[in-house]
Every structure is written in structure tokens, then in C-alpha cells.
């Protein structure tokens, strides 16, 4: 029978905590580094299920699992080694072991808090970023609509997802963006990029894992300039043969994305250094990232950007393509969402169930179609009835979402309310449910309601 050695588990907790505390002094994390290895080696189906079930708690859960797994592994190994020497049946650590485990947890917590403070300090020191020709403040006429989603997502609420358990902390003074193309190379500092002719754009950022009714997307104002302009300003020209080349975007952590050079130009990929009028937060890629409107986040550009390289077409493979995602660029399908009544957020969450509403309830929501010219119409349907047009806020362009509202008039009883959108290029939102892998989720967002 396998024995468990609780004091060995306590020693493992102590060692982990001390290692974490020591690494945090230089802004690093042993547990987060191990977590990155786990993410990079876990089979893709397991990753997909973890995203679906855990949502925003995936990284804290992985950290806790790693620490608990280290303790359990040490206890089992020690038990296996000692079971032939004496029959230990202890399930609780000795007083010394308990003290060691407690000290390890204290050290681990102290290390995590030190890292959190460093990240918070960096975000608090975000400097204003000014564009050469700033965009005016924008409104769409839905500012007074009750329960409407904000036109611009609060940065604190803006979703962030990546393969790191914690955003890399990059030093602004030593960071350089390396540029290579056509046999020429150079580098730019953050101040050097900020001194260029920066512009602003309002655009959505959408995760490929965004499902019906989720909020794994956000709308913000970004400051930067086209990738091609960065190369030109740095004296590194693009090759004349765009069709024969790719752009490789590499992050400080080794993550890389690849986009055909014609798409970089046609889709207007930008090097971005500002979000909401200030420098990028750590979670969103400080000091620089690439952002390509109308492309899902997994393909549209790299955060914590370190290197941009033009290479022969097909010679470099992107990180997630190596893991089984399509090589071709993925764009988000058209989608409409009911924001009220009900709650829009990511799991983990209890089932929303049937909501009690009034007969004259006004349904409010958002719709987006950045890869299809934007949203032209939004329609609401009650049960199997006809599709009814919703009132639309002003159209701010293909890259922005469009707010809508509708009061369908509900009879007493239970109903299913569905929403769909049609795009400016004539594409009708698909009614067929589809999982996010590999081309994004589809289907109609529906809500169960009951009128007394």
C-alpha cells in the first residue's frame, strides 16, 4: 500500500514558498514559469476544456494545482522511499512540519504580493500617449439608454488572456523593438516610437474563445501607427514582393505570431503603444503590441512585443499553429449579444436559468462584425415568431461594436428570446451552434424569460 509522508509535503511547500519569494525580488516567479511549461505542453483539447469551464479563474487554479501537486508528489515519493523502513500511517505533519508548511505559505504569499505590487506600480505610472491628430470624443446616441454596455470598455474590465500566468514586467528604459527586413536591421526605443507620427483608432479586440453571451471582448481607443510606417521610419523598408513574405511578431517571452505581409498591409496591422490615452497596461502588452482590427486576438498581434521580422512565406510557424490551430488568419464571425436583462460574463458562474421580466421589458445589447464591414441590422425573435428589427445606435465603423435595443412586447408565460445581426456585406449571423475551435463560436445568443 502506498504511504504518504506529510512532513515531506510540508518541506516541499516550504521550498516552493522560499523559491517564489526569492524569485519575486527580481520580478520573476518560479510557479508562473512552471505554469507556462504546463500550458505549452498540455494537449490542445484539454486547454480548450479548461478555457470553457474555468474562464477567468484558469490561472489562479493552475497555480494552486502546481503548489498542491508539488506537495502531494513529495509526500508520495517520500512515503514510497520510507515504507520499507517503518510503517508510517501519519496523515498529518509533525509540529515541525506544520511550522514548515505555514512558513512556506507565508513566503509564497509574500512573493506573490511583491509581484502584484510591482505590476500595480507599473500600471499606476502609465504615462499619457499623445497622437499627432487625436480623434474627437465619440458618441453613438445610446449614452442615455438604461443598461447599455459602455461604448468604451473600462480598462479594468477589459478581458486579457495569454499563455503567461502573469504578464512579463518589461523595463521601459532597456526595452528595444528590433526590426529586420530585406537584409537590414535596426531597433527603436519606446521613446523613439512615441516620437513618431502616432494616430488613434477605435477598435474591438475579440478572443477566439468568446462564446455566446460571454464578454471575452472589449472596445477601446488605441494609439499607434501602421507596421509598415514603423519599418519605414526606422529605415528598414518592406520588400517589394509582399506576396512572398510573412511578418513574424515575437514577444519578450518567446511567443510568436505570423501574418502574411499582404494582410499586414491590407488589414492595417498597427504597432500600438497606447490604450485609452495612456501607455499600455502590463496585462495588455506594455510597452508595445501589434493589433490588427477584424482578426481574433490569437492571430491579430503579439503583446510585449520585442521583434518584428520579415521572412520568406511559410518559413516560420506561429506558436498556436504549432499546437494545432489553422495556419490561415482567423476572423471573428458576426455576433449579437443580449446584455440586459441577465448577466454577461465569463465562467465560472451558475446557470442563469429563466429570468422573471415585465411584459414591456426593453432588451439591450451589442453586436459586432469587424471582418464583414460592420453591423447593418439587428433583429430580435420571441420563441418561433418573426424576426423584429431592433433600434440601432449610430454606426461608428466596422471596427467598433454597435449598440441596440428592442421592446418586443411579451405575453404572460415563458419565452425564449434570440438575437441576430446582419452585416454591411450581407452576411447573416449563423444560427448553427459551433464551438470556438478553430474558427470561432457561432449560433444565436438566447435568453429564457418568464412574464407573470
Amino acid at each position: 500500500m502506498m504511504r504518504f509522508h506529510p512532513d515531506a509535503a510540508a518541506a516541499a511547500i516550504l521550498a516552493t514558498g522560499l523559491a517564489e519569494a526569492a524569485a519575486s525580488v527580481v520580478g520573476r516567479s518560479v510557479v508562473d514559469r512552471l505554469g507556462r511549461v504546463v500550458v505549452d505542453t498540455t494537449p490542445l483539447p484539454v486547454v480548450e476544456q479548461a478555457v470553457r469551464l474555468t474562464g477567468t479563474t484558469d490561472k489562479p487554479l493552475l497555480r494552486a494545482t502546481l503548489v498542491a501537486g508539488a506537495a502531494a508528489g513529495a509526500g508520495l515519493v517520500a512515503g514510497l522511499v520510507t515504507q520499507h523502513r517503518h510503517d508510517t500511517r501519519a496523515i498529518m505533519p509533525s509540529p515541525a512540519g506544520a511550522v514548515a508548511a505555514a512558513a512556506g505559505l507565508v513566503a509564497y504569499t509574500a512573493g506573490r504580493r511583491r509581484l502584484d505590487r510591482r505590476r500595480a506600480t507599473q500600471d499606476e505610472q502609465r504615462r499619457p500617449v499623445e497622437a499627432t491628430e487625436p480623434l474627437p470624443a465619440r458618441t453613438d446616441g445610446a449614452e442615455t439608454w438604461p443598461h447599455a454596455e459602455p461604448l468604451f470598455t473600462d480598462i479594468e474590465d477589459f478581458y486579457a488572456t495569454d499563455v503567461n500566468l502573469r504578464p512579463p514586467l518589461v523595463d521601459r528604459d532597456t526595452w528595444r523593438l528590433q526590426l529586420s527586413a530585406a537584409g537590414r536591421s535596426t531597433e527603436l526605443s519606446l521613446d523613439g516610437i512615441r516620437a513618431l507620427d502616432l494616430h488613434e483608432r477605435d477598435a474591438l479586440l475579440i478572443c477566439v474563445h468568446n462564446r455566446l453571451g460571454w464578454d471575452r471582448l472589449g472596445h477601446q481607443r488605441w494609439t499607434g501607427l501602421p507596421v509598415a510606417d514603423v519599418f519605414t521610419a526606422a529605415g528598414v523598408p518592406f520588400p517589394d514582393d509582399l506576396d512572398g513574405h510573412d511578418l513574424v511578431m515575437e514577444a519578450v517571452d518567446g511567443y510568436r505570431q505570423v501574418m502574411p505581409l499582404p494582410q499586414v498591409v491590407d488589414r492595417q496591422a498597427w504597432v500600438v503603444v497606447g490604450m485609452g490615452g495612456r501607455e499600455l497596461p502590463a496585462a495588455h502588452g506594455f510597452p508595445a503590441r501589434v493589433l490588427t482590427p477584424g482578426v481574433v486576438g490569437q492571430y491579430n498581434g503579439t503583446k510585449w512585443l520585442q521583434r518584428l521580422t520579415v521572412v520568406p512565406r511559410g518559413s516560420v510557424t506561429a506558436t498556436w499553429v504549432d499546437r494545432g490551430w489553422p495556419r490561415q488568419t482567423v476572423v471573428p464571425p458576426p455576433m449579437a449579444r443580449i446584455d440586459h436583462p441577465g448577466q454577461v460574463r465569463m465562467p465560472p458562474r451558475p446557470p442563469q436559468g429563466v429570468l422573471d421580466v415585465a411584459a414591456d421589458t426593453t432588451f439591450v445589447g451589442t453586436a459586432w462584425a469587424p471582418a464583414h464591414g460592420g453591423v447593418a441590422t439587428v433583429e430580435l425573435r420571441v420563441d418561433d415568431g418573426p424576426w423584429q428589427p431592433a433600434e440601432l445606435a449610430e454606426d461608428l465603423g466596422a471596427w467598433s461594436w454597435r449598440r441596440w435595443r428592442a421592446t418586443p412586447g411579451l405575453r404572460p408565460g415563458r419565452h425564449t428570446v434570440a438575437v441576430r445581426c446582419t452585416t454591411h456585406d450581407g452576411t447573416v449571423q449563423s444560427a448553427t451552434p459551433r464551438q470556438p475551435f478553430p474558427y470561432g463560436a457561432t449560433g444565436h445568443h438566447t435568453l429564457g424569460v418568464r412574464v407573470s
Side-chain angles (χ1 to χ4, degrees):
M1 178 180 177
M2 180 71 72
R3 303 297 182 189
F4 183 77
H5 201 300
D7 280 350
I13 294 175
L14 176 61
T16 301
L18 293 176
E20 190 74 0
S24 69
V25 174
V26 292
R28 300 185 182 278
S29 166
V30 174
V31 174
D32 288 356
R33 180 56 187 165
L34 180 58
R36 173 66 186 271
V37 174
V38 171
V39 171
D40 287 345
T41 56
T42 300
L44 188 58
V46 177
V47 174
E48 294 302 295
Q49 286 301 311
V51 172
R52 183 179 71 85
L53 296 174
T54 62
T56 56
T57 63
D58 54 348
K59 295 176 182 179
L61 284 174
L62 179 54
R63 289 193 193 101
T65 300
L66 291 173
V67 174
L76 290 173
V77 170
L80 180 64
V81 171
T82 60
Q83 67 177 341
H84 299 299
R85 301 177 187 173
H86 60 278
D87 185 16
T88 175
R89 300 181 182 275
I91 59 174
M92 297 294 291
S94 65
V99 171
L105 292 175
V106 169
Y108 177 81
T109 302
R112 305 306 306 183
R113 288 179 175 174
R114 181 180 290 116
L115 290 173
D116 287 340
R117 285 195 300 270
R118 292 185 63 154
R119 175 183 171 185
T121 299
Q122 185 183 77
D123 285 348
E124 290 168 359
Q125 295 174 349
R126 291 167 56 220
R127 302 172 183 174
V129 178
E130 296 183 0
T132 304
E133 297 181 2
L135 291 177
R138 304 191 74 178
T139 59
D140 64 356
E143 286 70 34
T144 60
W145 292 3
H147 311 295
E149 183 79 7
L151 182 59
F152 291 96
T153 308
D154 289 340
I155 293 179
E156 292 76 14
D157 298 330
F158 203 110
Y159 91 96
T161 183
D162 49 74
V163 295
N164 295 297
L165 272 66
R166 181 178 298 275
L169 292 174
V170 182
D171 183 82
R172 68 166 59 248
D173 296 326
T174 60
W175 175 85
R176 296 292 184 270
L177 173 60
Q178 301 168 25
L179 303 160
S180 299
R184 300 180 64 177
S185 299
T186 191
E187 58 184 28
L188 289 172
S189 66
L190 179 57
D191 289 339
I193 296 176
R194 291 186 50 164
L196 300 177
D197 186 19
L198 301 182
H199 302 279
E200 291 182 329
R201 62 163 36 147
D202 298 335
L204 289 162
L205 186 60
I206 304 171
C207 181
V208 71
H209 291 103
N210 192 59
R211 295 170 180 261
L212 304 178
W214 281 24
D215 61 350
R216 215 173 176 105
L217 80 161
H219 181 237
Q220 253 300 341
R221 176 160 292 180
W222 311 89
T223 308
L225 70 167
V227 168
D229 290 358
V230 176
F231 274 82
T232 301
V236 181
F238 267 18
D240 295 331
D241 176 23
L242 295 181
D243 289 333
H245 293 85
D246 291 333
L247 177 70
V248 180
M249 302 162 273
E250 296 179 75
V252 298
D253 63 348
Y255 179 86
R256 66 184 180 277
Q257 293 179 330
V258 180
M259 183 176 291
L261 214 53
Q263 292 191 30
V264 172
V265 176
D266 294 342
R267 295 185 182 277
Q268 302 182 48
W270 270 28
V271 173
V272 169
V273 294
M275 181 182 186
R278 304 184 73 84
E279 291 175 334
L280 294 168
H284 292 284
F286 178 84
R289 67 179 298 166
V290 174
L291 189 144
T292 310
V295 177
V296 297
Q298 194 162 306
Y299 287 78
N300 81 26
T302 300
K303 297 192 289 187
W304 312 296
L305 187 64
Q306 177 174 265
R307 185 179 296 109
L308 293 174
T309 309
V310 176
V311 300
R313 174 68 58 84
S315 60
V316 176
T317 305
T319 297
W320 279 108
V321 172
D322 277 338
R323 300 291 304 279
W325 284 79
R327 179 177 289 273
Q328 65 268 32
T329 302
V330 176
V331 300
M335 187 172 290
R337 185 182 73 187
I338 300 172
D339 299 337
H340 172 82
Q343 286 186 318
V344 172
R345 53 193 174 97
M346 287 186 290
R349 60 182 178 188
Q352 191 160 245
V354 178
L355 302 175
D356 289 307
V357 300
D360 60 351
T361 293
T362 296
F363 291 76
V364 185
T366 45
W368 53 90
H372 295 268
V375 174
T377 64
V378 173
E379 298 170 294
L380 213 65
R381 182 174 68 182
V382 180
D383 301 325
D384 294 324
W387 288 101
Q388 306 174 46
E391 177 187 356
L392 292 175
E394 182 184 344
D395 190 350
L396 299 182
W399 296 340
S400 298
W401 55 16
R402 199 163 185 187
R403 298 190 282 186
W404 61 267
R405 65 178 177 180
T407 309
L410 302 173
R411 296 180 178 179
R414 294 181 61 163
H415 303 283
T416 299
V417 180
V419 64
R420 73 177 184 185
C421 69
T422 301
T423 70
H424 281 298
D425 68 6
T427 302
V428 179
Q429 180 179 337
S430 173
T432 304
R434 186 179 73 188
Q435 299 298 314
F437 178 82
Y439 297 112
T442 59
H444 291 160
H445 185 205
T446 61
L447 199 65
V449 299
R450 177 173 49 231
V451 178
S452 299

